[in-house]
Amino acid sequence: MSQFITENIESGIQILCFDRVEKRNAITLDMYQTLADLLHSAEKNPDIKATLIRGAGGHFSAGNDINEFVEIAQKPEKMEATMAFLQAIATYKKPLIAAVEGRAVGVGATMLLHCDLVLSSREARFQFPFVQLGLIPEAASSYFLPKFVGHQKAFELLVLGETFDAQEAYEMSLINHLCEEGEAYKLALLYAEKVAALPSEAVILSKDLLKFHDQDNVQMTLMREGRIFKDRLRSPEAHQAFAGFLSRNK
Ligand code: COA
């Protein structure tokens, strides 16, 4: 169990929080595995009706820990924890709700595409900087984004990888509702409580009906992205980009 993930269960809602504030909630392999394990146990627990994901310290998540990319490049089998998390969110049967404040970058943004409800501060900012890092899109974002916003906009978001704001994300239907800064968790909890109060079998069956058309495509995309992503981690382009980020730290 990673010390950087907290779990609280309140009134039938599992609340998972990225709590690595000094690193803007960047996600490590331990954190991925913990998240996957907690989602699996929530799925089996009839008392949990919905899961809410949030970040501590005013940010959602700065995405994958870049230091660990360097490690994974040498030991690709370590990516299993990442894949376990992506599988867990892609196939999660219960409602998944996100509360977004501050930055949502990389997988911190792509995981939102798997959520059922996204509540975000107007001040939140989003980015898919994969190509800038010499990598490729992940978490089935190369499937979901063109479907949501069309090819041209998806190319702009995923290949140029520039930061965009919550209003733009809302207009592209990546967010359900916007709120004032600092209010996203409160609003997400309100929605989680509404969902948790509904007949839970009907909720789970409805989510399945909404998602099942996509499952084969999502699985194929996750596999294909995963294979290419592993190769890209070893590429000179990615090494140069990681070194740039890490030397920036010094
Ligand atoms: N991996 C590892 N460390 C990260 C990180 C990441 N993805 N994102 C942030 N950090 C660390 C920084 O290295 C810094 O550590 P330090 O204090 O030990 O030097 C600390 O978190 C704070 O980051 P900083 O950049 O100073 O904060 P900021 O508020 O100015 O900017 C971000 C926040 C998220 C915009 C910026 O940190 C960023 O762009 N991070 C990289 C995001 C990214 O490319 N993720 C990978 C996607 S595939």
Side-chain angles (χ1 to χ4, degrees):
M1 173 95 185
S2 166
Q3 58 172 314
F4 299 122
I5 299 291
T6 63
E7 181 197 40
N8 287 296
I9 300 171
E10 289 168 22
S11 318
I13 300 158
Q14 179 194 44
I15 300 158
L16 301 178
C17 183
F18 303 118
D19 195 357
R20 196 180 176 218
V21 174
E22 71 288 358
K23 297 289 181 189
R24 304 295 182 265
N25 299 327
I27 307 175
T28 62
L29 293 166
D30 269 3
M31 291 165 75
Y32 282 121
Q33 193 58 59
T34 298
L35 288 164
D37 294 345
L38 291 173
L39 287 170
H40 288 313
S41 71
E43 209 153 41
K44 288 188 222 127
N45 181 346
D47 295 334
I48 293 178
K49 311 292 182 200
T51 292
L52 190 162
I53 306 186
R54 62 180 302 218
H59 289 281
F60 189 67
S61 170
N64 203 106
D65 187 297
I66 294 177
N67 292 284
E68 287 203 341
F69 273 154
V70 178
E71 225 179 284
I72 301 166
Q74 277 141 22
K75 291 194 177 142
E77 67 276 8
K78 288 193 166 194
M79 228 176 107
E80 267 173 37
T82 316
M83 296 311 285
F85 167 68
L86 296 180
Q87 271 299 330
I89 51 168
T91 59
Y92 193 56
K93 291 185 170 50
K94 296 180 180 179
L96 201 51
I97 298 159
V100 183
E101 298 278 351
R103 295 296 191 132
V105 186
V107 74
T110 53
M111 76 171 75
L112 300 174
L113 302 170
H114 294 270
C115 291
D116 303 299
L117 291 165
V118 179
L119 296 311
S120 169
S121 148
R122 286 179 211 287
E123 305 305 320
R125 289 164 72 74
F126 303 80
Q127 191 185 8
F128 305 109
F130 304 109
V131 174
Q132 291 166 9
L133 287 169
L135 300 171
I136 52 111
E138 40 73 303
S141 56
S142 63
Y143 171 71
F144 281 124
L145 270 183
K147 188 174 140 97
F148 288 3
V149 300
H151 170 77
Q152 285 80 3
K153 191 68 193 172
F155 183 93
E156 185 181 333
L157 295 174
L158 287 174
V159 178
L160 294 185
E162 291 168 356
T163 302
F164 57 100
D165 63 22
Q167 182 62 36
E168 197 176 343
Y170 176 72
E171 283 162 16
M172 291 186 289
S173 300
L174 305 182
I175 291 173
N176 291 81
H177 299 288
L178 294 171
C179 60
E180 295 311 311
E181 193 170 22
E183 299 286 312
Y185 174 55
K186 209 164 77 183
L187 187 61
L189 202 52
L190 199 77
Y191 273 87
E193 284 165 358
K194 278 192 202 190
V195 168
L198 291 165
S200 52
E201 282 178 24
V203 170
I204 289 171
L205 288 168
S206 301
K207 173 166 175 169
D208 183 58
L209 281 168
L210 286 162
K211 288 243 166 190
F212 93 102
H213 305 95
D214 279 335
Q215 276 305 346
D216 287 351
N217 289 326
V218 169
Q219 288 302 322
M220 270 191 311
T221 310
L222 283 174
M223 265 169 49
R224 189 170 158 79
E225 287 174 349
R227 204 171 54 239
I228 303 172
F229 201 96
K230 271 187 202 162
D231 286 346
R232 292 304 304 170
L233 284 171
R234 289 194 292 267
S235 70
E237 286 179 345
H239 281 201
Q240 203 180 338
F242 301 157
F245 181 79
L246 298 176
S247 64
R248 180 205 77 139
N249 283 351
K250 286 172 201 155

